[in-house]
Amino acid sequence: EAEVAQSPRYKITEKSQAVAFWCDPISGHATLYWYRQILGQGPELLVQFQDESVVDDSQLPKDRFSAERLKGVDSTLKIQPAELGDSAMYLCASARGPGQDEQYFGPGTRLTVT
Amino acid sequence: AQKITQTQPGMFVQEKEAVTLDCTYDTSDQSYGLFWYKQPSSGEMIFLIYQGSYDEQNATEGRYSLNFQKARKSANLVISASQLGDSAMYFCAMRELGGNNDMRFGAGTRLTVKP
């Protein structure tokens, strides 16, 4: 069964350092999402891609966060510089399209900023 | 703006019993989808069930059913015959089908199944 891949699974970094997360969606899925989930809360959307284009990044803190999906397949989410408040689970999800389709989630990257 | 409310931070249920997890939502759109996800301690989000706003029948998937009351804007998840493996966080989510279709999640309910 096809799955969304994410790496690394765990990341510990010091504040002010740069960190990057990678996501490979299910083959053929045009829509890709990055979510941030703070402990004890539900996921919050950071950015949504349709193919290689950003559809929604209204909740992405653009002063320190960036995301790209250059070829419309895999995607990278970067934080520079990391802050203590960025400690969270970062989840990637993909869907066939932006409509009613179910979103398939990857295992997530748990980030700890010290 | 969308808002998803899950009023039960934690729930306990005896193994083999049924349990209902509450979810209410707020939207002015007529066309939307409602989702339930399970998140075990390992962290991945597992899709459980989907209900469209125009679906007249309540969705069912195995031991999961969605009690959809459109007028009350509620979409409660019912798990029948609870199993120990059902212990996890459960999230209700909604996506309005206009606009960017982004999904909004509730704060979640932690379900513990007791043997």
mmCIF file of all heavy atoms in Angstrom, chain B residues 44-94:
data_model
loop_
_atom_site.group_PDB
_atom_site.id
_atom_site.type_symbol
_atom_site.label_atom_id
_atom_site.label_comp_id
_atom_site.label_asym_id
_atom_site.label_seq_id
_atom_site.Cartn_x
_atom_site.Cartn_y
_atom_site.Cartn_z
ATOM 1 N N GLU B 44 1.219 9.012 13.630
ATOM 2 C CA GLU B 44 0.605 9.144 12.317
ATOM 3 C C GLU B 44 -0.895 9.361 12.438
ATOM 4 O O GLU B 44 -1.523 8.917 13.375
ATOM 5 C CB GLU B 44 0.895 7.910 11.443
ATOM 6 C CG GLU B 44 0.109 6.678 11.793
ATOM 7 C CD GLU B 44 0.771 5.833 12.864
ATOM 8 O OE1 GLU B 44 1.540 6.394 13.668
ATOM 9 O OE2 GLU B 44 0.490 4.630 12.904
ATOM 10 N N MET B 45 -1.445 10.076 11.480
ATOM 11 C CA MET B 45 -2.883 10.340 11.435
ATOM 12 C C MET B 45 -3.524 9.319 10.508
ATOM 13 O O MET B 45 -3.163 9.223 9.337
ATOM 14 C CB MET B 45 -3.154 11.751 10.906
ATOM 15 C CG MET B 45 -2.589 12.855 11.765
ATOM 16 S SD MET B 45 -3.571 13.145 13.223
ATOM 17 C CE MET B 45 -4.929 14.070 12.535
ATOM 18 N N ILE B 46 -4.485 8.583 11.041
ATOM 19 C CA ILE B 46 -5.131 7.516 10.287
ATOM 20 C C ILE B 46 -6.564 7.923 9.988
ATOM 21 O O ILE B 46 -7.354 8.182 10.903
ATOM 22 C CB ILE B 46 -5.106 6.200 11.080
ATOM 23 C CG1 ILE B 46 -3.664 5.812 11.414
ATOM 24 C CG2 ILE B 46 -5.802 5.080 10.299
ATOM 25 C CD1 ILE B 46 -3.553 4.700 12.426
ATOM 26 N N PHE B 47 -6.903 7.982 8.703
ATOM 27 C CA PHE B 47 -8.260 8.338 8.298
ATOM 28 C C PHE B 47 -9.244 7.252 8.716
ATOM 29 O O PHE B 47 -8.996 6.062 8.527
ATOM 30 C CB PHE B 47 -8.308 8.532 6.783
ATOM 31 C CG PHE B 47 -9.696 8.612 6.223
ATOM 32 C CD1 PHE B 47 -10.439 9.773 6.353
ATOM 33 C CD2 PHE B 47 -10.266 7.533 5.575
ATOM 34 C CE1 PHE B 47 -11.727 9.850 5.844
ATOM 35 C CE2 PHE B 47 -11.546 7.603 5.055
ATOM 36 C CZ PHE B 47 -12.281 8.766 5.188
ATOM 37 N N LEU B 48 -10.378 7.663 9.289
ATOM 38 C CA LEU B 48 -11.376 6.706 9.738
ATOM 39 C C LEU B 48 -12.644 6.760 8.891
ATOM 40 O O LEU B 48 -13.134 5.726 8.431
ATOM 41 C CB LEU B 48 -11.746 6.971 11.196
ATOM 42 C CG LEU B 48 -10.653 6.799 12.237
ATOM 43 C CD1 LEU B 48 -11.189 7.148 13.620
ATOM 44 C CD2 LEU B 48 -10.090 5.392 12.208
ATOM 45 N N ILE B 49 -13.195 7.963 8.729
ATOM 46 C CA ILE B 49 -14.519 8.049 8.131
ATOM 47 C C ILE B 49 -14.763 9.450 7.601
ATOM 48 O O ILE B 49 -14.187 10.431 8.103
ATOM 49 C CB ILE B 49 -15.587 7.639 9.182
ATOM 50 C CG1 ILE B 49 -16.938 7.324 8.537
ATOM 51 C CG2 ILE B 49 -15.724 8.712 10.270
ATOM 52 C CD1 ILE B 49 -17.883 6.600 9.484
ATOM 53 N N TYR B 50 -15.602 9.537 6.573
ATOM 54 C CA TYR B 50 -15.916 10.812 5.917
ATOM 55 C C TYR B 50 -17.430 10.956 5.743
ATOM 56 O O TYR B 50 -18.129 9.969 5.443
ATOM 57 C CB TYR B 50 -15.248 10.871 4.543
ATOM 58 C CG TYR B 50 -15.749 11.998 3.667
ATOM 59 C CD1 TYR B 50 -15.261 13.285 3.831
ATOM 60 C CD2 TYR B 50 -16.734 11.773 2.704
ATOM 61 C CE1 TYR B 50 -15.725 14.332 3.041
ATOM 62 C CE2 TYR B 50 -17.212 12.811 1.918
ATOM 63 C CZ TYR B 50 -16.700 14.081 2.085
ATOM 64 O OH TYR B 50 -17.170 15.116 1.324
ATOM 65 N N GLN B 51 -17.906 12.196 5.935
ATOM 66 C CA GLN B 51 -19.322 12.507 5.709
ATOM 67 C C GLN B 51 -19.404 13.792 4.896
ATOM 68 O O GLN B 51 -18.847 14.814 5.315
ATOM 69 C CB GLN B 51 -20.050 12.703 7.047
ATOM 70 C CG GLN B 51 -21.514 13.078 6.926
ATOM 71 C CD GLN B 51 -22.416 11.875 6.849
ATOM 72 O OE1 GLN B 51 -22.218 10.866 7.519
ATOM 73 N NE2 GLN B 51 -23.455 11.961 6.027
ATOM 74 N N GLY B 52 -20.074 13.760 3.776
ATOM 75 C CA GLY B 52 -20.310 14.968 3.000
ATOM 76 C C GLY B 52 -21.560 15.674 3.474
ATOM 77 O O GLY B 52 -22.507 15.033 3.942
ATOM 78 N N SER B 53 -21.581 16.970 3.326
ATOM 79 C CA SER B 53 -22.700 17.746 3.855
ATOM 80 C C SER B 53 -24.010 17.432 3.140
ATOM 81 O O SER B 53 -25.092 17.652 3.692
ATOM 82 C CB SER B 53 -22.407 19.246 3.759
ATOM 83 O OG SER B 53 -22.146 19.627 2.419
ATOM 84 N N TYR B 54 -23.930 16.923 1.933
ATOM 85 C CA TYR B 54 -25.148 16.585 1.191
ATOM 86 C C TYR B 54 -25.519 15.114 1.299
ATOM 87 O O TYR B 54 -26.527 14.691 0.732
ATOM 88 C CB TYR B 54 -24.974 16.976 -0.282
ATOM 89 C CG TYR B 54 -24.881 18.476 -0.498
ATOM 90 C CD1 TYR B 54 -23.726 19.065 -0.980
ATOM 91 C CD2 TYR B 54 -25.961 19.294 -0.196
ATOM 92 C CE1 TYR B 54 -23.648 20.433 -1.170
ATOM 93 C CE2 TYR B 54 -25.893 20.666 -0.378
ATOM 94 C CZ TYR B 54 -24.729 21.229 -0.870
ATOM 95 O OH TYR B 54 -24.654 22.595 -1.057
ATOM 96 N N ASP B 55 -24.691 14.353 2.010
ATOM 97 C CA ASP B 55 -25.016 12.937 2.181
ATOM 98 C C ASP B 55 -26.207 12.803 3.118
ATOM 99 O O ASP B 55 -26.183 13.328 4.233
ATOM 100 C CB ASP B 55 -23.810 12.182 2.760
ATOM 101 C CG ASP B 55 -22.627 12.156 1.812
ATOM 102 O OD1 ASP B 55 -22.851 12.379 0.604
ATOM 103 O OD2 ASP B 55 -21.499 11.913 2.272
ATOM 104 N N GLU B 56 -27.211 12.085 2.668
ATOM 105 C CA GLU B 56 -28.420 11.957 3.484
ATOM 106 C C GLU B 56 -28.316 10.855 4.523
ATOM 107 O O GLU B 56 -28.987 10.894 5.550
ATOM 108 C CB GLU B 56 -29.633 11.715 2.586
ATOM 109 C CG GLU B 56 -29.932 12.907 1.688
ATOM 110 C CD GLU B 56 -31.219 12.734 0.912
ATOM 111 O OE1 GLU B 56 -31.803 11.630 0.960
ATOM 112 O OE2 GLU B 56 -31.649 13.696 0.260
ATOM 113 N N GLN B 57 -27.470 9.886 4.240
ATOM 114 C CA GLN B 57 -27.306 8.793 5.194
ATOM 115 C C GLN B 57 -26.028 8.971 5.992
ATOM 116 O O GLN B 57 -25.018 9.489 5.495
ATOM 117 C CB GLN B 57 -27.251 7.458 4.440
ATOM 118 C CG GLN B 57 -28.585 7.062 3.829
ATOM 119 C CD GLN B 57 -28.600 5.616 3.393
ATOM 120 O OE1 GLN B 57 -27.555 5.023 3.192
ATOM 121 N NE2 GLN B 57 -29.783 5.048 3.256
ATOM 122 N N ASN B 58 -26.070 8.539 7.237
ATOM 123 C CA ASN B 58 -24.870 8.583 8.066
ATOM 124 C C ASN B 58 -23.822 7.619 7.520
ATOM 125 O O ASN B 58 -24.139 6.488 7.139
ATOM 126 C CB ASN B 58 -25.205 8.209 9.512
ATOM 127 C CG ASN B 58 -25.966 9.304 10.220
ATOM 128 O OD1 ASN B 58 -25.960 10.453 9.802
ATOM 129 N ND2 ASN B 58 -26.644 8.953 11.294
ATOM 130 N N ALA B 59 -22.554 8.100 7.506
ATOM 131 C CA ALA B 59 -21.475 7.256 7.012
ATOM 132 C C ALA B 59 -21.159 6.147 8.004
ATOM 133 O O ALA B 59 -21.254 6.328 9.226
ATOM 134 C CB ALA B 59 -20.227 8.106 6.771
ATOM 135 N N THR B 60 -20.780 4.996 7.485
ATOM 136 C CA THR B 60 -20.335 3.885 8.324
ATOM 137 C C THR B 60 -19.116 3.247 7.666
ATOM 138 O O THR B 60 -19.023 3.160 6.445
ATOM 139 C CB THR B 60 -21.422 2.815 8.514
ATOM 140 O OG1 THR B 60 -21.755 2.286 7.221
ATOM 141 C CG2 THR B 60 -22.657 3.392 9.164
ATOM 142 N N GLU B 61 -18.169 2.834 8.525
ATOM 143 C CA GLU B 61 -16.982 2.122 8.070
ATOM 144 C C GLU B 61 -16.625 1.104 9.143
ATOM 145 O O GLU B 61 -15.994 1.416 10.150
ATOM 146 C CB GLU B 61 -15.785 3.083 7.876
ATOM 147 C CG GLU B 61 -15.867 4.007 6.706
ATOM 148 C CD GLU B 61 -15.639 3.319 5.375
ATOM 149 O OE1 GLU B 61 -15.166 2.170 5.367
ATOM 150 O OE2 GLU B 61 -15.933 3.947 4.333
ATOM 151 N N GLY B 62 -17.072 -0.115 8.941
ATOM 152 C CA GLY B 62 -16.778 -1.147 9.926
ATOM 153 C C GLY B 62 -17.364 -0.799 11.283
ATOM 154 O O GLY B 62 -18.570 -0.597 11.408
ATOM 155 N N ARG B 63 -16.504 -0.707 12.301
ATOM 156 C CA ARG B 63 -16.999 -0.401 13.649
ATOM 157 C C ARG B 63 -17.214 1.090 13.879
ATOM 158 O O ARG B 63 -17.654 1.501 14.965
ATOM 159 C CB ARG B 63 -16.001 -0.938 14.688
ATOM 160 C CG ARG B 63 -15.881 -2.460 14.722
ATOM 161 C CD ARG B 63 -14.998 -2.926 15.873
ATOM 162 N NE ARG B 63 -13.625 -2.438 15.752
ATOM 163 C CZ ARG B 63 -13.093 -1.542 16.573
ATOM 164 N NH1 ARG B 63 -13.810 -1.025 17.567
ATOM 165 N NH2 ARG B 63 -11.837 -1.175 16.420
ATOM 166 N N TYR B 64 -16.900 1.895 12.877
ATOM 167 C CA TYR B 64 -17.048 3.342 13.006
ATOM 168 C C TYR B 64 -18.312 3.801 12.290
ATOM 169 O O TYR B 64 -18.591 3.377 11.167
ATOM 170 C CB TYR B 64 -15.846 4.076 12.404
ATOM 171 C CG TYR B 64 -14.515 3.659 12.951
ATOM 172 C CD1 TYR B 64 -13.618 2.904 12.199
ATOM 173 C CD2 TYR B 64 -14.137 4.017 14.244
ATOM 174 C CE1 TYR B 64 -12.400 2.514 12.706
ATOM 175 C CE2 TYR B 64 -12.908 3.628 14.764
ATOM 176 C CZ TYR B 64 -12.047 2.882 13.992
ATOM 177 O OH TYR B 64 -10.833 2.497 14.498
ATOM 178 N N SER B 65 -19.047 4.673 12.928
ATOM 179 C CA SER B 65 -20.168 5.334 12.266
ATOM 180 C C SER B 65 -20.183 6.789 12.683
ATOM 181 O O SER B 65 -19.679 7.165 13.743
ATOM 182 C CB SER B 65 -21.499 4.651 12.606
ATOM 183 O OG SER B 65 -21.734 4.704 13.996
ATOM 184 N N LEU B 66 -20.732 7.605 11.807
ATOM 185 C CA LEU B 66 -20.766 9.039 12.053
ATOM 186 C C LEU B 66 -22.212 9.450 12.230
ATOM 187 O O LEU B 66 -23.029 9.250 11.327
ATOM 188 C CB LEU B 66 -20.099 9.792 10.882
ATOM 189 C CG LEU B 66 -19.607 11.210 11.176
ATOM 190 C CD1 LEU B 66 -18.430 11.561 10.268
ATOM 191 C CD2 LEU B 66 -20.724 12.211 10.997
ATOM 192 N N ASN B 67 -22.536 9.982 13.373
ATOM 193 C CA ASN B 67 -23.885 10.470 13.667
ATOM 194 C C ASN B 67 -23.955 11.935 13.227
ATOM 195 O O ASN B 67 -23.582 12.838 13.973
ATOM 196 C CB ASN B 67 -24.171 10.321 15.163
ATOM 197 C CG ASN B 67 -25.592 10.720 15.497
ATOM 198 O OD1 ASN B 67 -26.372 11.103 14.611
ATOM 199 N ND2 ASN B 67 -25.948 10.639 16.762
ATOM 200 N N PHE B 68 -24.439 12.139 12.011
ATOM 201 C CA PHE B 68 -24.440 13.461 11.382
ATOM 202 C C PHE B 68 -25.796 14.121 11.598
ATOM 203 O O PHE B 68 -26.820 13.610 11.138
ATOM 204 C CB PHE B 68 -24.144 13.326 9.890
ATOM 205 C CG PHE B 68 -24.102 14.622 9.121
ATOM 206 C CD1 PHE B 68 -23.446 15.735 9.616
ATOM 207 C CD2 PHE B 68 -24.718 14.722 7.871
ATOM 208 C CE1 PHE B 68 -23.395 16.915 8.906
ATOM 209 C CE2 PHE B 68 -24.674 15.901 7.144
ATOM 210 C CZ PHE B 68 -24.010 17.000 7.664
ATOM 211 N N GLN B 69 -25.783 15.243 12.326
ATOM 212 C CA GLN B 69 -27.002 16.021 12.543
ATOM 213 C C GLN B 69 -26.740 17.424 12.005
ATOM 214 O O GLN B 69 -26.194 18.282 12.704
ATOM 215 C CB GLN B 69 -27.366 16.043 14.024
ATOM 216 C CG GLN B 69 -27.650 14.643 14.568
ATOM 217 C CD GLN B 69 -28.185 14.680 15.984
ATOM 218 O OE1 GLN B 69 -29.024 15.508 16.317
ATOM 219 N NE2 GLN B 69 -27.690 13.779 16.799
ATOM 220 N N LYS B 70 -27.157 17.622 10.756
ATOM 221 C CA LYS B 70 -26.783 18.837 10.035
ATOM 222 C C LYS B 70 -27.352 20.088 10.674
ATOM 223 O O LYS B 70 -26.681 21.106 10.774
ATOM 224 C CB LYS B 70 -27.248 18.721 8.582
ATOM 225 C CG LYS B 70 -26.688 19.774 7.658
ATOM 226 C CD LYS B 70 -27.021 19.432 6.206
ATOM 227 C CE LYS B 70 -26.433 20.443 5.248
ATOM 228 N NZ LYS B 70 -26.689 20.050 3.838
ATOM 229 N N ALA B 71 -28.598 20.020 11.104
ATOM 230 C CA ALA B 71 -29.229 21.200 11.694
ATOM 231 C C ALA B 71 -28.522 21.624 12.981
ATOM 232 O O ALA B 71 -28.426 22.815 13.291
ATOM 233 C CB ALA B 71 -30.703 20.929 11.956
ATOM 234 N N ARG B 72 -28.022 20.660 13.705
ATOM 235 C CA ARG B 72 -27.300 20.953 14.950
ATOM 236 C C ARG B 72 -25.822 21.178 14.699
ATOM 237 O O ARG B 72 -25.072 21.493 15.617
ATOM 238 C CB ARG B 72 -27.445 19.790 15.935
ATOM 239 C CG ARG B 72 -28.840 19.571 16.432
ATOM 240 C CD ARG B 72 -28.853 18.514 17.517
ATOM 241 N NE ARG B 72 -30.182 18.338 18.085
ATOM 242 C CZ ARG B 72 -30.456 17.539 19.097
ATOM 243 N NH1 ARG B 72 -29.484 16.841 19.653
ATOM 244 N NH2 ARG B 72 -31.681 17.426 19.549
ATOM 245 N N LYS B 73 -25.380 20.980 13.466
ATOM 246 C CA LYS B 73 -23.965 21.077 13.105
ATOM 247 C C LYS B 73 -23.104 20.201 14.003
ATOM 248 O O LYS B 73 -22.124 20.654 14.618
ATOM 249 C CB LYS B 73 -23.498 22.541 13.126
ATOM 250 C CG LYS B 73 -24.173 23.394 12.044
ATOM 251 C CD LYS B 73 -23.596 24.796 11.973
ATOM 252 C CE LYS B 73 -24.248 25.567 10.832
ATOM 253 N NZ LYS B 73 -23.769 26.964 10.747
ATOM 254 N N SER B 74 -23.507 18.961 14.096
ATOM 255 C CA SER B 74 -22.710 18.019 14.875
ATOM 256 C C SER B 74 -22.384 16.799 14.033
ATOM 257 O O SER B 74 -23.157 16.402 13.146
ATOM 258 C CB SER B 74 -23.421 17.616 16.159
ATOM 259 O OG SER B 74 -24.464 16.710 15.891
ATOM 260 N N ALA B 75 -21.247 16.207 14.316
ATOM 261 C CA ALA B 75 -20.756 15.043 13.553
ATOM 262 C C ALA B 75 -20.042 14.125 14.530
ATOM 263 O O ALA B 75 -18.813 14.007 14.510
ATOM 264 C CB ALA B 75 -19.824 15.511 12.448
ATOM 265 N N ASN B 76 -20.806 13.470 15.359
ATOM 266 C CA ASN B 76 -20.215 12.635 16.404
ATOM 267 C C ASN B 76 -19.759 11.297 15.848
ATOM 268 O O ASN B 76 -20.433 10.692 15.007
ATOM 269 C CB ASN B 76 -21.217 12.404 17.527
ATOM 270 C CG ASN B 76 -21.631 13.697 18.205
ATOM 271 O OD1 ASN B 76 -20.938 14.707 18.115
ATOM 272 N ND2 ASN B 76 -22.769 13.672 18.875
ATOM 273 N N LEU B 77 -18.629 10.825 16.346
ATOM 274 C CA LEU B 77 -18.098 9.520 15.944
ATOM 275 C C LEU B 77 -18.545 8.477 16.953
ATOM 276 O O LEU B 77 -18.374 8.672 18.165
ATOM 277 C CB LEU B 77 -16.569 9.557 15.890
ATOM 278 C CG LEU B 77 -15.888 8.227 15.561
ATOM 279 C CD1 LEU B 77 -16.129 7.842 14.100
ATOM 280 C CD2 LEU B 77 -14.389 8.306 15.844
ATOM 281 N N VAL B 78 -19.094 7.390 16.460
ATOM 282 C CA VAL B 78 -19.486 6.277 17.311
ATOM 283 C C VAL B 78 -18.585 5.091 16.990
ATOM 284 O O VAL B 78 -18.468 4.690 15.832
ATOM 285 C CB VAL B 78 -20.963 5.886 17.107
ATOM 286 C CG1 VAL B 78 -21.325 4.724 18.019
ATOM 287 C CG2 VAL B 78 -21.878 7.075 17.361
ATOM 288 N N ILE B 79 -17.933 4.578 18.025
ATOM 289 C CA ILE B 79 -17.108 3.381 17.870
ATOM 290 C C ILE B 79 -17.829 2.261 18.609
ATOM 291 O O ILE B 79 -18.082 2.359 19.825
ATOM 292 C CB ILE B 79 -15.698 3.567 18.458
ATOM 293 C CG1 ILE B 79 -15.015 4.795 17.845
ATOM 294 C CG2 ILE B 79 -14.851 2.315 18.216
ATOM 295 C CD1 ILE B 79 -13.657 5.121 18.470
ATOM 296 N N SER B 80 -18.166 1.222 17.898
ATOM 297 C CA SER B 80 -18.856 0.093 18.530
ATOM 298 C C SER B 80 -17.834 -0.973 18.916
ATOM 299 O O SER B 80 -16.745 -1.051 18.350
ATOM 300 C CB SER B 80 -19.894 -0.490 17.572
ATOM 301 O OG SER B 80 -19.252 -0.995 16.427
ATOM 302 N N ALA B 81 -18.181 -1.759 19.907
ATOM 303 C CA ALA B 81 -17.337 -2.893 20.333
ATOM 304 C C ALA B 81 -15.885 -2.473 20.487
ATOM 305 O O ALA B 81 -14.991 -2.983 19.805
ATOM 306 C CB ALA B 81 -17.475 -4.036 19.333
ATOM 307 N N SER B 82 -15.627 -1.536 21.383
ATOM 308 C CA SER B 82 -14.286 -0.972 21.556
ATOM 309 C C SER B 82 -13.248 -2.054 21.807
ATOM 310 O O SER B 82 -13.501 -3.046 22.492
ATOM 311 C CB SER B 82 -14.277 0.014 22.733
ATOM 312 O OG SER B 82 -15.130 1.099 22.479
ATOM 313 N N GLN B 83 -12.066 -1.802 21.250
ATOM 314 C CA GLN B 83 -10.936 -2.713 21.426
ATOM 315 C C GLN B 83 -9.790 -1.943 22.076
ATOM 316 O O GLN B 83 -9.706 -0.719 21.971
ATOM 317 C CB GLN B 83 -10.489 -3.266 20.061
ATOM 318 C CG GLN B 83 -11.575 -4.007 19.317
ATOM 319 C CD GLN B 83 -11.166 -4.385 17.902
ATOM 320 O OE1 GLN B 83 -10.086 -4.035 17.437
ATOM 321 N NE2 GLN B 83 -12.043 -5.097 17.205
ATOM 322 N N LEU B 84 -8.889 -2.674 22.726
ATOM 323 C CA LEU B 84 -7.771 -2.017 23.392
ATOM 324 C C LEU B 84 -6.961 -1.172 22.401
ATOM 325 O O LEU B 84 -6.455 -0.100 22.742
ATOM 326 C CB LEU B 84 -6.867 -3.053 24.062
ATOM 327 C CG LEU B 84 -7.515 -3.843 25.203
ATOM 328 C CD1 LEU B 84 -6.539 -4.873 25.751
ATOM 329 C CD2 LEU B 84 -7.993 -2.924 26.318
ATOM 330 N N GLY B 85 -6.871 -1.615 21.170
ATOM 331 C CA GLY B 85 -6.132 -0.887 20.137
ATOM 332 C C GLY B 85 -6.802 0.400 19.695
ATOM 333 O O GLY B 85 -6.205 1.172 18.929
ATOM 334 N N ASP B 86 -8.011 0.645 20.175
ATOM 335 C CA ASP B 86 -8.685 1.900 19.841
ATOM 336 C C ASP B 86 -8.185 3.053 20.709
ATOM 337 O O ASP B 86 -8.512 4.211 20.438
ATOM 338 C CB ASP B 86 -10.203 1.763 20.030
ATOM 339 C CG ASP B 86 -10.832 0.802 19.039
ATOM 340 O OD1 ASP B 86 -10.253 0.580 17.953
ATOM 341 O OD2 ASP B 86 -11.901 0.240 19.369
ATOM 342 N N SER B 87 -7.415 2.747 21.734
ATOM 343 C CA SER B 87 -6.884 3.814 22.601
ATOM 344 C C SER B 87 -5.967 4.707 21.774
ATOM 345 O O SER B 87 -4.964 4.248 21.214
ATOM 346 C CB SER B 87 -6.110 3.210 23.772
ATOM 347 O OG SER B 87 -6.972 2.507 24.638
ATOM 348 N N ALA B 88 -6.313 5.981 21.687
ATOM 349 C CA ALA B 88 -5.587 6.926 20.828
ATOM 350 C C ALA B 88 -6.226 8.302 20.964
ATOM 351 O O ALA B 88 -7.234 8.468 21.657
ATOM 352 C CB ALA B 88 -5.638 6.484 19.361
ATOM 353 N N MET B 89 -5.638 9.282 20.273
ATOM 354 C CA MET B 89 -6.287 10.581 20.114
ATOM 355 C C MET B 89 -7.171 10.508 18.882
ATOM 356 O O MET B 89 -6.799 9.902 17.869
ATOM 357 C CB MET B 89 -5.246 11.684 19.920
ATOM 358 C CG MET B 89 -4.514 12.094 21.172
ATOM 359 S SD MET B 89 -5.575 12.969 22.339
ATOM 360 C CE MET B 89 -5.873 14.509 21.453
ATOM 361 N N TYR B 90 -8.321 11.157 18.953
ATOM 362 C CA TYR B 90 -9.245 11.194 17.827
ATOM 363 C C TYR B 90 -9.533 12.655 17.481
ATOM 364 O O TYR B 90 -9.878 13.451 18.363
ATOM 365 C CB TYR B 90 -10.548 10.461 18.164
ATOM 366 C CG TYR B 90 -10.362 8.969 18.209
ATOM 367 C CD1 TYR B 90 -9.822 8.363 19.352
ATOM 368 C CD2 TYR B 90 -10.679 8.170 17.123
ATOM 369 C CE1 TYR B 90 -9.617 6.998 19.390
ATOM 370 C CE2 TYR B 90 -10.480 6.802 17.155
ATOM 371 C CZ TYR B 90 -9.946 6.217 18.288
ATOM 372 O OH TYR B 90 -9.746 4.861 18.325
ATOM 373 N N PHE B 91 -9.384 12.967 16.192
ATOM 374 C CA PHE B 91 -9.580 14.334 15.739
ATOM 375 C C PHE B 91 -10.719 14.401 14.727
ATOM 376 O O PHE B 91 -10.792 13.608 13.788
ATOM 377 C CB PHE B 91 -8.304 14.876 15.084
ATOM 378 C CG PHE B 91 -7.176 15.097 16.041
ATOM 379 C CD1 PHE B 91 -6.210 14.124 16.237
ATOM 380 C CD2 PHE B 91 -7.087 16.276 16.759
ATOM 381 C CE1 PHE B 91 -5.160 14.319 17.133
ATOM 382 C CE2 PHE B 91 -6.046 16.489 17.655
ATOM 383 C CZ PHE B 91 -5.089 15.504 17.838
ATOM 384 N N CYS B 92 -11.573 15.389 14.946
ATOM 385 C CA CYS B 92 -12.612 15.738 14.000
ATOM 386 C C CYS B 92 -12.081 16.865 13.121
ATOM 387 O O CYS B 92 -11.360 17.747 13.618
ATOM 388 C CB CYS B 92 -13.855 16.181 14.765
ATOM 389 S SG CYS B 92 -15.242 16.712 13.757
ATOM 390 N N ALA B 93 -12.422 16.847 11.854
ATOM 391 C CA ALA B 93 -11.932 17.881 10.951
ATOM 392 C C ALA B 93 -13.006 18.215 9.922
ATOM 393 O O ALA B 93 -13.882 17.401 9.631
ATOM 394 C CB ALA B 93 -10.652 17.422 10.238
ATOM 395 N N MET B 94 -12.917 19.433 9.385
ATOM 396 C CA MET B 94 -13.874 19.869 8.377
ATOM 397 C C MET B 94 -13.150 20.606 7.278
ATOM 398 O O MET B 94 -12.174 21.316 7.527
ATOM 399 C CB MET B 94 -14.924 20.802 8.985
ATOM 400 C CG MET B 94 -15.932 21.305 7.967
ATOM 401 S SD MET B 94 -17.196 22.353 8.676
ATOM 402 C CE MET B 94 -16.242 23.785 9.112
#
